[in-house]
Amino acid sequence: MASLFLDLVFGDVPLIHVFTWLTNGTVHEDIQELLTNETENVRYSFPLLLANFIREQSSCLLKLHNVNPSEQNIVSSPKREIFIPTVHNLSLGSPSPNSRNGGNCQETRRIRKVTPQRLDLSNDSAFPSLQQSAQLREIPKKRRINPTQLVDSPVSRVQFGSYSKPSPPPITGNAFNQAKEQASPKSFDQERALLKEKKQQLTIPAMPDLVNNTSKTWTCVEPDMNFVTRQTELDRLSALVSFCVSRHLISSLYNEIHFLIQLLVIRVSPAKLKQAHLAAGSSSLLLGSVHNCVYFSAKTLETLEEVWRHVDPTTLQQLMRNPRLLLFSPEWVNGKLTRLFSSLKTEDRIPPQKTVANVAFQSETDNRFNFASDSSFQFFRKQRDQFCEVWQIWKVNSSIPSWNMALGLQKMIQSLVDLRRDCVNYAHLARLFRSQLLNVAQLVKPVNYEEERNGPLGQLQSSDPDKLRRLRERLINPPDSRPTRCVGSESDIKMNFEGDQEFFRDFILLAASPSFNEHLKNNLLSGIQDLSSSDDCDDRSQFAENVIALQVMAKFLAFLHFYPHASADHLPEHVFHNLSRLRMSQREPIDLVSYIKEAFHKGRLVLVIPWVVTYLTLADPVAFSLPGFHSVLCHLIFIYRKAELTPANAFLVRVSLSWLFNQPNFPLPLLAKSDEELVVQLRHHSLAVDDQLPQLDRSTHLVDPSLIHQCCPYLWSWKHLLAEFACSDAKSSGEGKASVSRKITPVSAEESPSPVKTPNVKSLQQSLEENFFQNQPASVKRTVEFVAERLASNVVRDIRHQIIPRLVHNAQASLKTWRDSFATVKDPVESLCRQLCLDVRNESISSATSAVASIESTLTALLPNDLLPPVQRVCVVIASKLTHGKVVDWIHLHVTNGLFKNDLEVELAKLDKNVNRRLTSTPSATVNDNLPVVHDPATLAPSFLIERLKTLIRQVIRDASKVTGQEVAELLASTDGTLHRRVDVTPAVSKCLQQLTFDFLFILCVFQPESVGSQTIVAWVEFWSRAYPSRESAVLLETEEQQPPGASTSIWQVLTPKQLLLLAQSTAPRESWTLVSTLLVQLMKAGLIRYKDVQEQAVAVVRQEWPQMNIRNVYCCWWWTALVAISATVGPPLLCDGLKVTGFRVPSLALYGSDVELDCAFSAARNAKLYSVKWYQNHEEFYRYMFEERTPVTAFTRPGINVDVSFNIAIISKNIE
Amino acid sequence: MSAASDSVYKLPYRNRVQTLQKLFPQLSVDTLKCVVAQECQRRMKGSHGRLTTSEAVEVLYKRYTNSISMSEEPGILIRLSDENGLTPALLARSIIERHYKKSDKTKPAKLLVSTLMKNTALIDDRDLAFETYLCLLEDDEYGPIAEATKQSVGYEYEIRLRMELEKCRVSFLHEEHLRVKGYDKTPDIKLEIPVAVDGQVINWIESKALFGDEEVHRGYLKDQLYSYWNRFGPGLVIYWFGYVEDLEKIHQNRIILIRDALPMNMIFMEQNS
């Protein structure tokens, strides 16, 4: 084959014939003989062969590139040296699993451990710490480089650190083997020699060496127009290459340009050159000299107008400033390129993307109704917060090199992920994860070039471009300079994540939760599905957002899917086959072929291809050999060759694809297939192409350079090459650099047939509807679906928030009456639920119907107004049908007996509870219930009022400061105002006020009876009964028995020991007593105090000892009388149960030492049996009468009491009758 | 303000607000009260456990019963509290718990004790009832009256915030709305249409009727504010009684503004298209 190229380039066959042949296969007689009957076979592999041919021609020179004479000892990593040069004659098309570029295996890979450049960086004060750590790590982006490593690139040096894994050795068929056979053994020898050298070198400490290196400079051959030889041949070659590139015949667009730039910046030292020439005698090669290389490169780059139109301004700038390019094609640089550059400047950029960094809480998807239970909801609340916390911790710490994520966060992550092993929680967590991930992905802002050029960075560019470059690399690719904090084996797959995405990758790894992974996978899948088919991509920023979101989701989906298959080792053939057999029937999580097909037909390739490529980039070697993948790849190759897109879109698609084709795992034979072999399926379906639809691929405004660079981060390597050249040039040190270049060997393989999809069978109505929408503008369908969805959602919300609560409330109310009337019904809840369910369903349906009524007007407003009325009617019908369907679905799913059961049972339990302790319920709850209160800020704030009351009480008790009647009245007024004219009074506060006001009045009665009149008391009691109506009084008697003893917690405690103690401190007892009894009477009249309470309180008082009040004993007696008298007048008789105290007489005052007659008259029902009558004094019993006893009377002698027994008996016996 | 927080520690326990007022006349009474209250709560958090072991309470109870039997002037518990360091209400509570100790020496039910604290008239021992009542009147930080006051203040300022926002025609949902809608975390105010304050967009407002010192703020950040941030984005917290300078810097990169009143320089979204 090589001869073919030589003939083409040297010969006089017009190139135009070659071009025609390549384009449509017609062979002109001039080239007939050159091809020697291989026309079709060679036609498709021709571009690949051409690319290889050029590499071959320049290989000798590139080998010498950048070799620093001061570093004669070339060190290569021992691990990487597992190098099997295979120069076997594998036949074309042998389906080898690792079929990769064996064509270049004769090339040596010389790897230096440390480069001057790196060292320079680490010494640079600008980036001390990060650089330090970076040296220990590999650079992810650069890991993808295959073994056809060119000599001594700065990139490879870092990459082949001691823990890198060997990449699969090339054992592959090669079309070029014949041409190269002679060269290979030699390089193999060289390789061995290198290895030897390296081994010796290993014992020498590296540091002094490095120090030496930095100080050394060396010269290199500068290209010169005058030394270019064989100019015509080079021109022809260049024309061939540029033709192939521009017609998309060369499948590795990205790589070719990279290679050309490499040629452009080649640096070879004269001494080395001489050596090489002597050794190899390679001067006969076309690209055997620096001059030729640069000339060829410049000529070719010049023709690739299409490419430069879409790269970012910085790359263009670098090109413009490249001295060699200026030298070799000044007209182009100064003319077109400059114009292009200035036109780019004015182009408006994608508006700044989102700045919101958090995931918003959406009540539609995140509230309680989206969870199965309260506990699930509560747990997720915790999970959400913990997730955000972990993310924040990572953000803060990730830039600290010594920080270890596994140590710091593993426990937290694991506990949060599995906090509740429940599918609902996993699903929500996965959703949160995805949302946060997408948020972060969108946050990456495109570099602002405008600012860069004019601002401080621009100045830096002119003064120290090297530093700027490093700075930018750092900003764009943080992981380059940041150690990967990761557990587990190092793997290529992991290297695809950079920046903040590392967090999410490590989160998945550290969580190590299969359930979570599964949910996340599903979530990503549905996300991709939604976005890929989403229609709102017309807006430019929206489009950019979607493209990036899709890429990120695809990347993580691929990570989840392929990570289990990653291997750090090279797989031996039999293992490889076993694995691939195992996975033969494995289902791919995502049907790429159908996505691609759909995208092709709908003209959305520009949206879909980037994420498909991202997905495939992460695939493992075995996956690429699976039949499912085969057809995907065929489609992609076809698209690369044939897809018709607007230039910018095409560039994005093709660069992405070419990147994929360059993946080390990619089965290269496919690339050499003919169109006919590749895709049969795509064509057959193409009748469905709908030209009416707005095609994203056809639009010209969606893609711009910054988006391209964001989607294809690897494009930075072009810039990188140029910038490196520029900076080493600027330093005028001889350390020019070349970077990686890769070669592709075309090998053909049998194409495996892909399964053809069978169309689904649909019902007639459905297909009618489908066709209806198919022929209408797409917006019609969208509008109808949208309206239906929104309406249904509104109806559902109405049902949930209005209808259900109302009906449930009614049911709860009816439950109360049921208790009384249907006490026999066994399960009132069950039947109520059934009834309720029916009611809700009926009401819901009717509300849906009424909602549907508004559809017509809505749709008329929204649909295109040139629609025919019947069409509109159909739309309305479909929309209402959809709405109804949705509502009904919802009802059947959610409105079940179980929905209400809980509510009603709770209510029932509450009722039971209430019955048990009805007295404890807070009376104040009703304060603000009825009327909407207009807030009056002029009234006292409740907290202020509390403070004031507290202070007043304190003052009255402690300091005996006077409170006037006026003040009391004012206080009443302001309390009233606060309670009734403010909206910020909480129940607890209201209750506190109740207590405090009562205390205040009582204490005032005791300590300052003069400032309280009975009028005041009446006013206050009236206020209380208004503000705190007693709700118990009505239901009091019937439930008396159930009340636990001592449960009375009413605030109106007039007669408790404490109050009596207070009363005892009164300075004017008589007045105080009077007031207090007025208070008591008023309270009882208002129904605030129940008779029963008074009774209880009285008993409690009697049981107390009042030792220190002996002197006032008499008051106590008097008071007791008063109490009972009041009871007799106001309340029902003291005792119930058929026993009535009809009279009670105790003298209010008595002389010390005189006789007192105590009289208690009562009447009992006929059948009632009295047990005893007892009299107490100060808690001590002094008299007892037992009716059943033989000697009923017992008198206990107490100091100061002599009981006249007989007298009492007489009274009692009389009353018994 | 930090100076005020510092000097709080050196003052005797009661009536510190008045003392501080003389020291820092430029600060509002509310602020000083808050500073004092927060200091007190912090102190109690630290020493409550130590001061209320059963042995310590036994000693206190003995002293109290002795004083009663000697018919000392009312205010026994308050004097005891001054001496001991427990706030009056907490002391009273411990004494009640001891008083109602069951026969098997276990503590009485919490509910019973709180009921008695709420309504001292129900305490069967009249002296204890009265003493407790005096304690409650005296204590500004603990006990039902103090609790009600604090709760009330918080709610008053929430209402005030709502009214001010309504006056500014800001549309918002408040806590109760959010709860009905099933939100898992409910800030006092969630702005339905975000506004900008001093160049920062805010989506929610939390009202805190107290003084924002670092410890308080950290507590809220952990329990509430970060949760709001996680859900709704940047927001604003209002410490009505002032806050320590530089409090915002502990949020790191999460934007949560801190103010001591509703900012009046809010910038609204343009409504007319």
Side-chain angles (χ1 to χ4, degrees), chain A residues 356-363 366-369 377-378 380-382 384-386 388-389 391-393 395-396 797 801 917 935 941-944 946-947 949-951 953-954 957-958 982-989 991-992 995-996 999-1000 1003 1007 1048-1053 1056-1062 1065 1104-1109, chain B residues 14-15 18 33 68 71 74 78 111-112 115 117-131 133-134 136-142 144-160 163 178-185 190 203 221-224 226-234 251-254:
Chain A
V356 179
N358 66 311
V359 180
F361 181 93
Q362 291 289 330
S363 72
D366 295 346
N367 72 8
R368 165 69 183 86
F369 306 111
F377 182 55
Q378 298 303 335
F380 185 68
R381 193 185 71 202
K382 279 185 207 145
R384 188 184 185 107
D385 280 330
Q386 280 175 14
C388 295
E389 195 57 42
W391 163 235
Q392 288 297 336
I393 293 176
K395 257 168 78 175
V396 172
R797 190 170 306 162
H801 295 311
R917 11 171 273 174
H935 187 76
S943 59
F944 181 80
I946 292 177
E947 276 298 316
L949 277 165
K950 203 166 108 174
T951 320
I953 295 172
R954 216 155 50 186
I957 296 180
R958 217 175 44 190
R982 285 186 79 92
V983 292
D984 52 1
V985 182
T986 61
V989 169
K991 192 162 184 185
C992 185
Q995 174 87 59
L996 281 174
D999 287 347
F1000 173 68
I1003 282 166
F1007 289 97
S1048 165
T1049 52
S1050 166
I1051 277 171
W1052 320 110
Q1053 302 281 351
T1056 57
K1058 176 191 140 202
Q1059 313 292 66
L1060 284 185
L1061 183 71
L1062 278 171
Q1065 297 176 21
Q1104 286 256 332
E1105 281 185 57
W1106 298 87
Q1108 74 271 55
M1109 294 170 73
Chain B
R14 274 194 300 140
N15 298 328
Q18 287 81 346
K33 268 187 192 166
I68 289 290
S71 300
I78 292 175
L111 183 67
L112 173 67
T115 316
M117 292 286 281
K118 269 185 205 145
N119 191 350
T120 47
L122 299 174
I123 300 175
D124 57 4
D125 183 301
R126 56 181 179 270
D127 295 303
L128 184 55
F130 188 56
E131 284 292 328
Y133 191 66
L134 291 178
L136 295 185
L137 290 177
E138 206 58 52
D139 199 323
D140 284 330
E141 274 77 50
Y142 294 92
I145 302 177
E147 293 292 339
T149 318
K150 271 193 270 181
Q151 189 199 17
S152 184
V153 172
Y155 194 59
E156 280 160 32
Y157 276 93
E158 251 175 69
I159 298 293
R160 177 172 152 188
M163 292 186 164
L178 296 179
R179 215 163 277 144
V180 170
K181 289 190 165 218
Y183 279 68
D184 60 350
K185 282 281 185 178
K190 180 175 168 289
N203 299 292
L221 278 178
K222 191 167 166 292
D223 292 342
Q224 300 184 327
Y226 279 156
S227 297
Y228 302 154
W229 189 92
N230 292 338
R231 285 159 182 75
F232 313 114
H251 309 149
Q252 288 157 359
N253 47 8
R254 289 176 263 199

Side-chain angles (χ1 to χ4, degrees), chain A residues 586-606:
Chain A
Q586 182 197 31
R587 268 279 185 78
E588 279 305 307
I590 190 161
D591 186 3
L592 291 175
V593 177
S594 68
Y595 271 109
I596 295 169
K597 276 188 194 164
E598 199 189 330
F600 185 80
H601 295 138
K602 290 193 173 164
R604 306 165 68 89
L605 286 172
V606 67

Side-chain angles (χ1 to χ4, degrees), chain A residues 9 15 230-242 295-296 299:
Chain A
V9 174
L15 281 177
R230 308 194 211 177
Q231 207 163 337
T232 19
E233 286 93 329
L234 286 176
D235 282 343
R236 284 172 72 97
L237 190 60
S238 158
L240 260 180
V241 170
S242 61
Y295 177 78
F296 169 71
K299 279 289 159 235

Side-chain angles (χ1 to χ4, degrees), chain A residues 18-36:
Chain A
V18 186
F19 295 162
T20 5
W21 166 63
L22 286 174
T23 321
N24 52 29
T26 42
V27 186
H28 192 269
E29 53 191 25
D30 282 354
I31 56 166
Q32 182 73 59
E33 49 192 275
L34 294 178
L35 296 172
T36 57

Side-chain angles (χ1 to χ4, degrees), chain A residues 942-1013:
Chain A
S943 59
F944 181 80
L945 191 62
I946 292 177
E947 276 298 316
R948 177 157 167 71
L949 277 165
K950 203 166 108 174
T951 320
L952 274 175
I953 295 172
R954 216 155 50 186
Q955 283 170 357
V956 170
I957 296 180
R958 217 175 44 190
D959 314 334
S961 59
K962 288 284 166 210
V963 181
T964 62
Q966 175 74 17
E967 277 178 300
V968 177
E970 274 168 15
L971 200 61
L972 174 62
S974 56
T975 310
D976 189 58
T978 300
L979 275 181
H980 293 107
R981 292 204 299 280
R982 285 186 79 92
V983 292
D984 52 1
V985 182
T986 61
V989 169
S990 144
K991 192 162 184 185
C992 185
L993 279 175
Q994 181 189 7
Q995 174 87 59
L996 281 174
T997 44
F998 177 72
D999 287 347
F1000 173 68
L1001 192 69
F1002 190 90
I1003 282 166
L1004 219 52
C1005 290
V1006 172
F1007 289 97
Q1008 296 176 19
E1010 64 277 8
S1011 49
V1012 187

